[in-house]
Amino acid sequence: MSAALALPVVRGALTAAAPLAPLVWFKSGGAAEWLFEPADVDDLQAFLASLPAETPVMALGLGSNLIVRDGGVAGVVVRLGKAFAHVEHVVDTQIRAGGGASGILLASRARDLGIAGLEFLRGIPGTVGGFVRMNGGAYGREVSDILVECDVVLKDGTRRTLSRAALDYRYRHSALPEGAVVVSALFEGVPGDPAVIGAEMDRIAAAREASQPLRSKTGGSTFKNPPGEKAWALIDAAGCRGLQRGDAQVSPKHCNFLINLGSATSVDIEALGEEVRARVKAATGIELEWEIKRVGEVK
């Protein structure tokens, strides 16, 4: 897709050469060739259906688990706004949320309804679309424990409902089709006392505040935990706590977080991550796998 092509008529916002750094937690990286913020699901479907089949499509949530490379992202980046941030009680202990709803909003609504089992979402800094795609998890629970099904719009504009089984969930992985955008998801918990649920959410919030660099420009948990191991402990044992490259640093507070001290480029951040991987491999023989998604072109 390029400016030379006839652009489809949309009801949402379609912006060329849109800077992505302000939209991601690291505050680094290049621009999207096109940024599309649909007015609703119909707008999204019509837009995607009109694109040439070869146009890359990427969904962007809160940008909390993402490195956007400095050369920017080709094709279309889809960002779901307020129209996709709804959370609705369906029946009994089932609750449906839009793909743009935050984990905090979903957990809080479930608490108010007396639905337990979703408290861990309070500890995931992202949107429903992101943590459904990545099987997001925290504090011993993950999305595959509570998801019933999700509605997605495929790259060709087709809308489809996918069951939990169809997503083939594994640790921080799903079989969601490339370019698909999660527009809503249905979750199921168990009956609970709102006061008890709220207390657990408060405990999770306090634990995150105490152990993670939440006030920094960061991308959240950087590497997946290898089987039987904790990534942060391996990074610490390899002597990487506080390791720095330019303005990119391994957080002294939590070794599995990289932080931007001020003016780090995405090249700095990703290169620091690769240095951490190399040092851990040399020290322990274990090869860490990136959990943070890295997208776009190197400048």
Side-chain angles (χ1 to χ4, degrees):
M1 182 175 177
S2 70
L5 295 177
L7 296 178
V9 175
V10 299
R11 289 179 288 109
L14 182 60
T15 307
L20 293 178
L23 305 181
V24 300
W25 280 30
F26 270 127
K27 303 304 178 191
S28 68
E33 184 178 358
W34 293 94
L35 177 67
F36 179 48
E37 298 168 285
D40 50 34
V41 176
D42 290 343
D43 195 29
L44 175 62
Q45 286 188 259
F47 175 76
L48 292 182
S50 72
L51 293 180
E54 67 275 11
T55 304
V57 175
M58 185 192 89
L60 174 66
L62 294 182
S64 57
N65 194 243
L66 188 68
I67 294 174
V68 174
R69 293 179 172 125
D70 299 307
V73 179
V76 176
V77 173
V78 176
R79 187 167 184 252
L80 304 183
K82 290 183 179 179
F84 296 85
H86 55 86
V87 178
E88 302 160 346
H89 185 207
V90 178
V91 65
D92 298 328
T93 55
Q94 291 192 344
I95 190 168
R96 181 175 292 278
S102 69
I104 294 175
L105 176 63
L106 178 52
S108 298
R109 180 69 174 131
R111 174 202 60 207
D112 295 344
L113 292 167
I115 300 174
L118 283 71
E119 297 91 336
F120 74 98
L121 297 177
R122 173 65 179 83
I124 301 179
T127 59
V128 166
F131 57 67
V132 166
R133 173 178 288 277
M134 290 295 295
N135 192 19
Y139 302 95
R141 300 271 286 168
E142 55 190 11
V143 167
S144 59
D145 296 325
I146 58 172
L147 183 75
V148 177
E149 63 185 27
C150 65
D151 285 350
V152 304
V153 175
L154 301 179
K155 195 168 174 288
D156 63 0
T158 304
R159 186 169 180 175
R160 184 178 298 173
T161 298
L162 301 176
S163 68
R164 174 174 52 195
L167 293 174
D168 188 26
Y169 272 138
R170 285 168 281 169
Y171 175 63
R172 303 297 178 266
H173 171 83
S174 78
L176 196 70
E178 186 69 26
V181 179
V182 177
V183 293
S184 72
L186 179 65
F187 301 94
E188 183 158 21
V190 296
D193 181 340
V196 174
I197 295 168
E200 174 62 7
M201 289 174 59
D202 290 344
R203 184 193 70 80
I204 289 171
R208 290 187 69 232
E209 182 69 38
S211 65
Q212 299 176 11
L214 301 181
R215 311 298 174 189
S216 302
K217 293 185 283 188
T218 182
S221 182
T222 305
F223 302 106
K224 298 178 182 180
N225 290 324
E229 303 282 354
K230 293 292 186 182
W232 76 264
L234 295 171
I235 295 166
D236 201 15
C240 296
R241 185 182 293 269
L243 184 66
Q244 197 167 330
R245 185 183 183 110
D247 258 2
Q249 184 186 45
V250 176
S251 169
K253 189 172 186 179
H254 192 309
C255 293
N256 199 24
F257 282 64
L258 303 182
I259 58 177
N260 180 354
L261 295 174
S263 58
T265 64
S266 292
V267 165
D268 294 331
I269 296 166
E270 189 170 2
L272 177 62
E274 291 297 340
E275 184 175 351
V276 168
R277 294 180 70 234
R279 291 195 182 199
V280 169
K281 179 71 178 293
T284 69
I286 296 174
E287 190 162 350
L288 292 177
E289 184 179 349
W290 283 90
E291 181 173 332
I292 285 180
K293 187 176 181 182
R294 296 156 295 146
V295 300
E297 302 297 323
V298 176
K299 189 172 182 179

